[in-house]
């Protein structure tokens, strides 16, 4: 048996979302940012030429590129977004954020996640858009 060992090609990425999988999120926005912690080491650094973007997706289609902040932390990078596009959401529909990193595209990603050329794509857990009730009548009935 011959075993060849090579350097790890991709850094470790941990996504922290302000919602749990399948949780209802107000269309006004979640309480907190989406954050990705990208961990590199001295021997396996985060590629310096990668461009980072958070995007809003539905069923693999990019709906919007979100305002993204990238902060270098030594050998690691933190990629965050406080941006939330409630204007693009429909009540009771499921959405995700995706972290996109690429050195090929210098503009914001668009189209289908699966068609992004040479990109690292990591999707978050899903959330469900939850809107307040529309105009109507609310009747309170005591339970006695």
């Amino acid at each position: 048996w011959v075993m060849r060992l090579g350097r790890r090609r991709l850094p470790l990425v941990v996504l922290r979302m302000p919602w749990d999988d399948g949780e209802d999120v107000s269309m006004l926005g979640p309480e907190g940012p989406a954050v990705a912690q990208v961990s590199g080491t001295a021997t396996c650094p985060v590629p310096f030429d990668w461009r980072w973007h958070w995007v809003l997706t539905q069923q693999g289609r990019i709906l919007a590129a979100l305002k993204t902040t990238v902060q270098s932390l030594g050998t690691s990078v933190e990629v965050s977004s406080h941006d939330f596009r409630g204007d693009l959401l429909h009540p009771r529909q499921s959405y995700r954020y995706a972290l996109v990193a690429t050195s090929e595209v210098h503009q914001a990603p668009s189209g289908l996640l699966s068609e992004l050329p040479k990109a690292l794509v990591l999707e978050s857990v899903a959330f469900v858009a939850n809107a307040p009730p529309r105009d109507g009548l609310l009747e309170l009935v005591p339970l006695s």
Side-chain angles (χ1 to χ4, degrees):
W1 293 86
V2 176
M3 182 182 296
R4 291 190 172 87
L5 300 176
R7 289 187 176 177
R8 183 177 68 185
R9 292 181 175 227
L10 299 175
L12 175 67
V13 180
V14 176
L15 303 182
R16 290 191 321 262
M17 307 311 294
W19 56 78
D20 292 324
D21 192 18
E23 182 178 354
D24 285 356
V25 172
S26 168
M27 290 175 61
L28 299 176
E31 294 184 18
V35 178
Q37 186 68 44
V38 186
S39 300
T41 64
T43 58
C44 184
V46 177
F48 69 91
D49 62 340
W50 280 7
R51 305 294 182 258
W52 299 93
H53 300 276
W54 278 108
V55 295
L56 173 66
T57 70
Q58 185 177 38
Q59 297 177 346
R61 177 170 297 282
I62 297 172
L63 302 178
L66 304 173
K67 294 175 189 164
T68 302
T69 303
V70 180
Q71 182 179 8
S72 179
L73 305 169
T75 59
S76 298
V77 173
E78 183 176 273
V79 185
S80 62
S81 180
H82 289 271
D83 197 8
F84 188 77
R85 297 293 309 271
D87 59 310
L88 298 177
L89 307 181
H90 297 282
R92 295 174 301 284
Q93 296 290 312
S94 182
Y95 300 90
R96 294 176 188 265
Y97 277 16
L99 179 68
V100 178
T102 181
S103 61
E104 298 294 314
V105 180
H106 297 287
Q107 60 194 27
S110 61
L112 295 174
L113 288 175
S114 61
E115 295 177 354
L116 293 176
K118 298 183 182 178
L120 168 68
V121 177
L122 299 169
E123 287 192 276
S124 74
V125 294
F127 68 92
V128 176
N130 185 10
R134 301 244 181 225
D135 294 338
L137 178 65
L138 178 63
E139 183 178 347
L140 298 176
V141 180
L143 297 175
S144 57

